[in-house]
Amino acid sequence: MQDDLHKIAFFLSPHRLPSLFPQKFAVFSQRLSQFPEENGSHWRKWGLRGQGRDGKIDLLRRKAQRKTYKRREFMDRFFHVTEKGSTVRTEIMAGITTFMAMAYILMVNAGMFSNPFGDGTDVLGVSYGAIYVATAISAVVGTLLIGLLSNLPLAQASGMGLNAYFVYTVCVGLGLSYANALVLVLFDGIIFVLLTVTGLRKIIFDSIPHEVKAAISAGIGLFIAFIGLQNAGIVVNDSSTCVNLHSFNVFTGEQTWATIFPMLVTLLAVFAIGAMSKKKVRGAVLWGILGAAVVYYVVGLITVPGFYASAIAPNLTSDFFGAFRDFGTQAFGAVFKSGFDFSAFIAANGTGAFVVMLLTTMLAFCMVDMFDTLGTLYGACSAGNMLDKDGNVPNMDRAMLADACATCAGAVCGTSTVTTFVESSAGVAEGGRTGLASMATAVMFFIAMFLSPVAQLIPTYACAAALIYVGVLMMSNVRNIAWDDPAAAVTGFVTVAFMPLTYNISYGIAFGLISYVFVKIFTGKIKEINVGTWIISILFALMFFLTR
């Protein structure tokens, strides 16, 4: 009987009890009236002895109400969930939706670091599992920070584009080691913190012309898509034209089904992701990757002789903690173990070239990170009607500080620059309005951290589809370039085109700024070039003359 009373009192608030369950309330009141007025262990248990029957009922209800809404009160007090017009359930669902939309970064980032060219070549010297765990941990830290500091429903992880810059430009292009590149990421994070705290971030942001700002994201998108096409084997090297389309000719015997079906899987996955996105399917990119992996293995096992031994067996493992061992020995703290040893680069290029390379590379890291974060903050908050009355992002400085701190944490963990993901807009569209949604996303990333052996089974061809589609999304910013203005069009085109064609993001930014300066000079508008633009352009020009 007492248990029954406790359950009723616990789950029903006092003002709704009589109207919702009149019969149960009558039984409840009748049973209470049978209890002794002053004695009884049941009253002592609730601390109500000596209160009188009416007082006991009232206090009992209050205790039940406090227990029922204890967590909700905490959420409201800390995240202001009710004040923002949301509910705890809505926030949690929004956080899960955001995770579904950006979970692909775990597999794509790990594959890019451990197998940058899709041919099994370990250029950076780190394993898939090590980077998978590093990416997951940095995503947990970054997402917790932005949720707690800014109370915005956003999530962070290793940024697409920034990871490509880390791998293909800094490590492969410049010849720096994995640990050396992490030092540059760490410096980027520290500089970002200082710029945010001192307010210099706005000065640098204003120094970049609008044409270059709009073109940077589009150029990175084209670059990422090009990498995806290469990793899938669709675009290949050609001695005459540098690049060419891989042959699909299986009828003359030039190609076999085993060589072309993985490329077909990639293309079909891209088309499927686009169709699912059009239909507003949550986590379209993730479902596209998983679906491509299933098709790849099913078709391969049925149609390709020896497919299991060549494509599946090497990736099978039951060691769920091997990734954490690799993370501890290869990635975590590598920035401090050997990252500050640039002797190989200095011996090959000289001290002057090293100084210019260091400055320009950190500048490129910082600018791309800054534009990505600012663009995502404005885009996501605008979509959710969360901008303040002046059209600004609430708690923007705190969000930028969380981004900078997460980048420092990512460098220590062993991954590239951590930034706010545009996929956070999926959670905002689902109703997320507070940092509680970020907490849910962080929990999902923490759980996913232990699934490295499963994720390692995702083939390169499936992840390549994600790269291509993310490139498509990033290319959308090209519409913000004023193509009708020849001066703006030249600057924008140079920025976009030079990134994939030179396989270097910083070269695109550099030529975009330099072209902007010369166009302004030749059109007699030299006074429109501010001091910051001059300084950055000169630094990039020195990079070409001293480090190339």
Side-chain angles (χ1 to χ4, degrees):
M1 180 173 61
Q2 292 182 28
D3 291 338
D4 186 43
L5 293 174
H6 295 165
K7 290 179 181 179
I8 297 171
F10 184 82
F11 288 107
L12 298 177
S13 57
H15 64 280
R16 297 174 62 194
L17 184 60
S19 60
L20 290 178
F21 301 97
Q23 294 181 352
K24 181 67 73 173
F25 179 76
V27 174
F28 177 81
S29 301
Q30 182 180 4
R31 289 183 177 179
L32 281 179
S33 65
Q34 298 173 359
F35 292 156
E37 185 71 23
E38 299 295 337
N39 300 314
S41 60
H42 43 275
W43 293 124
R44 190 179 298 108
K45 176 180 179 181
W46 288 89
L48 303 175
R49 186 175 182 182
Q51 298 292 325
R53 184 173 292 107
D54 293 338
K56 291 170 184 176
I57 296 174
D58 185 57
L59 288 176
L60 189 61
R61 287 171 174 171
R62 291 181 184 179
K63 284 178 177 288
Q65 186 180 27
R66 283 198 296 270
K67 288 184 178 181
T68 304
Y69 294 105
K70 185 177 181 180
R71 293 180 181 178
R72 178 179 174 183
E73 290 172 357
F74 170 77
M75 299 301 178
D76 283 344
R77 183 171 61 253
F78 194 88
F79 293 107
H80 307 285
V81 176
T82 303
E83 180 183 329
K84 298 290 185 179
S86 184
T87 65
V88 172
R89 181 181 183 279
T90 299
E91 294 296 312
I92 293 175
M93 292 304 299
I96 295 174
T97 300
T98 297
F99 170 79
M100 292 289 291
M102 60 183 288
Y104 68 88
I105 189 61
L106 295 171
M107 295 161 283
V108 172
N109 204 50
M112 185 179 292
F113 274 67
S114 62
N115 186 16
F117 299 110
D119 58 0
T121 305
D122 186 6
V123 179
L124 275 63
V126 287
S127 69
Y128 183 100
I131 299 302
Y132 182 93
V133 174
T135 305
I137 292 177
S138 61
V140 171
V141 173
T143 303
L144 287 175
L145 283 174
I146 199 167
L148 294 173
L149 292 180
S150 68
N151 196 27
L152 293 174
L154 307 176
Q156 300 192 67
S158 300
M160 293 295 294
L162 289 161
N163 54 2
Y165 181 66
F166 182 102
V167 174
Y168 298 102
T169 298
V170 179
C171 293
V172 177
L174 296 177
L176 295 180
S177 68
Y178 164 69
N180 290 154
L182 290 176
V183 171
L184 301 181
V185 174
L186 180 63
F187 286 166
D188 165 37
I190 294 173
I191 292 172
F192 208 168
V193 170
L194 296 176
L195 292 176
T196 302
V197 172
T198 60
L200 293 175
R201 169 184 52 80
K202 188 176 186 302
I203 297 176
I204 293 181
F205 184 75
D206 293 339
S207 299
I208 308 301
H210 170 74
E211 298 88 339
V212 178
K213 291 177 186 175
I216 285 177
S217 179
I220 292 174
L222 191 59
F223 181 41
I224 289 175
F226 183 60
I227 292 171
L229 291 169
Q230 283 186 312
N231 288 353
I234 299 171
V235 173
V236 294
N237 294 333
D238 188 283
S239 58
S240 300
T241 60
C242 294
V243 293
N244 205 338
L245 179 68
H246 193 286
S247 174
F248 287 83
N249 189 350
V250 295
F251 296 103
T252 62
E254 183 177 341
Q255 298 296 327
T256 64
W257 171 250
T259 59
I260 72 164
F261 102 84
M263 295 184 286
L264 295 176
V265 169
T266 299
L267 293 175
L268 290 175
V270 174
F271 304 152
I273 293 171
M276 287 188 289
S277 298
K278 176 66 175 178
K279 294 293 185 179
K280 308 296 183 182
V281 175
R282 300 174 186 172
V285 176
L286 177 62
W287 291 123
I289 292 176
L290 297 178
V294 171
V295 172
Y296 173 78
Y297 285 120
V298 170
V299 173
L301 285 170
I302 295 175
T303 63
V304 178
F307 182 79
Y308 181 89
S310 62
I312 300 180
N315 294 324
L316 287 176
T317 178
S318 59
D319 186 4
F320 278 80
F321 298 99
F324 290 92
R325 286 195 296 270
D326 289 347
F327 168 71
T329 57
Q330 300 175 11
F332 184 72
V335 62
F336 301 117
K337 296 175 184 176
S338 58
F340 289 88
D341 182 11
F342 291 92
S343 56
F345 184 90
I346 295 174
N349 300 278
T351 304
F354 166 72
V355 173
V356 175
M357 179 278 298
L358 189 67
L359 292 175
T360 54
T361 304
M362 286 191 300
L363 185 62
F365 265 127
C366 197
M367 283 196 296
V368 174
D369 188 15
M370 186 185 304
F371 300 147
D372 275 358
T373 303
L374 286 172
T376 299
L377 288 174
Y378 276 106
C381 292
S382 176
N385 295 320
M386 292 187 292
L387 299 178
D388 61 23
K389 60 181 181 180
D390 298 322
N392 297 319
V393 176
N395 300 324
M396 186 167 123
D397 286 340
R398 293 185 179 184
M400 298 293 282
L401 181 61
D403 189 284
C405 293
T407 293
C408 294
V412 175
C413 290
T415 189
S416 54
T417 306
V418 177
T419 188
T420 307
F421 261 57
V422 70
E423 284 81 358
S424 301
S425 301
V428 173
E430 194 65 22
R433 294 295 181 271
T434 73
L436 180 58
S438 301
M439 302 302 104
T441 305
V443 170
M444 295 300 294
F445 269 114
F446 179 80
I447 296 172
M449 180 172 59
F450 299 92
L451 302 178
S452 172
V454 177
Q456 196 165 348
L457 292 172
I458 303 297
T460 300
Y461 307 98
C463 292
L467 288 173
I468 296 169
Y469 185 74
V470 171
V472 172
L473 296 179
M474 297 181 72
M475 274 294 295
S476 63
N477 284 321
V478 77
R479 66 175 179 267
N480 296 322
I481 300 173
W483 295 106
D484 294 335
D485 180 2
V490 168
T491 300
F493 173 78
V494 168
T495 304
V496 172
F498 269 67
M499 289 185 188
L501 296 181
T502 63
Y503 226 72
N504 193 306
I505 293 173
S506 62
Y507 291 170
I509 299 174
F511 274 101
L513 288 171
I514 293 171
S515 66
Y516 172 83
V517 170
F518 276 99
V519 168
K520 289 296 182 182
I521 293 175
F522 294 154
T523 54
K525 298 180 179 180
I526 190 172
K527 292 183 179 180
E528 294 183 6
I529 307 173
N530 63 40
V531 177
T533 305
W534 276 111
I535 294 174
I536 296 173
S537 300
I538 291 172
L539 281 174
F540 275 123
L542 290 174
M543 176 184 70
F544 291 120
F545 289 114
L546 296 177
T547 64
R548 293 296 297 171

